[in-house]
Amino acid sequence: VRRMRGDVEEAAREADLVVDIGERRGFAEWMLVGAMHQAAALQAAGDHERACDELASSLRAFRSLGGGTGSTLFLVDLADAQRDAGRTGEAMSTLDEALRLAVDEGHGIHLVETHRSRAQVLAAAHGSDHPGVASALDAALDNAQQQVAVLWGLRAAQLTGRLVPGHRTQDVED
């Protein structure tokens, strides 16, 4: 939430705290979750290449320990970093994996963010007039309504207003 509010420094401090607790208590999963939040804070601060490397490495380790549902959110963070690093093909593959986890393994809690990120990757790769952009935003907004995911729904609605002005105006205004 701190990253979404633009408070990157506080997000990084909180991630450091999670890593520290994990190290002191011997909680490997906490250390990895904290490391992924640290890398996501790097992404938000503009260090996209480093964020890509650190997120990918931490995600592999997290998933090797059985990390499940949380993986999808960090896959979205990785895709965002890949997009901002100009690696849109990798970003689409990463989002395909997040969608696969959502469908095949029931990890749908982060579908809104997955579709939001897909819209941004498509816009970065092909322009905002690409039909997949509006389609991905529709999926994000629909999932936000179904899941009552207010904050992520607002984020998707704001992005819709920026990328596809006039599209689903009612959702954007609500």
Side-chain angles (χ1 to χ4, degrees):
V1 172
R2 297 228 188 253
R3 280 185 289 125
M4 288 177 69
R5 291 180 180 162
D7 192 352
V8 178
E9 289 178 15
E10 186 60 27
R13 276 192 293 276
E14 289 178 358
D16 293 343
L17 180 60
V18 173
V19 170
D20 183 57
I21 291 169
E23 287 173 347
R24 284 188 286 118
R25 303 282 187 209
F27 299 155
E29 219 173 88
W30 278 53
M31 289 185 292
L32 292 168
V33 168
M36 289 184 288
H37 278 292
Q38 287 172 327
L42 288 173
Q43 156 61 14
D47 195 348
H48 311 304
E49 288 293 339
R50 187 168 157 212
C52 288
D53 295 341
E54 292 187 17
L55 273 163
S57 174
S58 296
L59 260 165
R60 274 191 303 278
F62 181 69
R63 292 174 81 182
S64 75
L65 294 175
T69 303
S71 297
T72 53
L73 181 60
F74 294 112
L75 284 167
V76 171
D77 287 331
L78 175 58
D80 287 345
Q82 291 167 328
R83 177 200 69 229
D84 290 343
R87 296 157 51 177
T88 56
E90 289 177 50
M92 286 303 290
S93 295
T94 298
L95 292 168
D96 288 343
E97 174 65 7
L99 287 172
R100 187 198 65 73
L101 285 171
V103 173
D104 294 350
E105 299 183 25
H107 298 181
I109 190 169
H110 302 116
L111 274 172
V112 178
E113 279 292 273
T114 304
H115 290 298
R116 185 264 320 148
S117 182
R118 181 177 290 281
Q120 288 185 287
V121 171
L122 287 168
H126 306 290
S128 60
D129 58 342
H130 185 280
V133 173
S135 177
L137 290 167
D138 284 342
L141 292 167
D142 291 345
N143 276 279
Q145 288 174 344
Q146 292 166 5
Q147 296 178 354
V148 192
V150 177
L151 186 58
W152 285 336
L154 176 60
R155 188 174 180 183
Q158 290 172 331
L159 182 63
T160 300
R162 283 194 311 274
L163 291 181
V164 192
H167 183 72
R168 287 185 71 155
T169 306
Q170 181 61 36
D171 293 303
V172 174
E173 291 172 355
D174 288 346

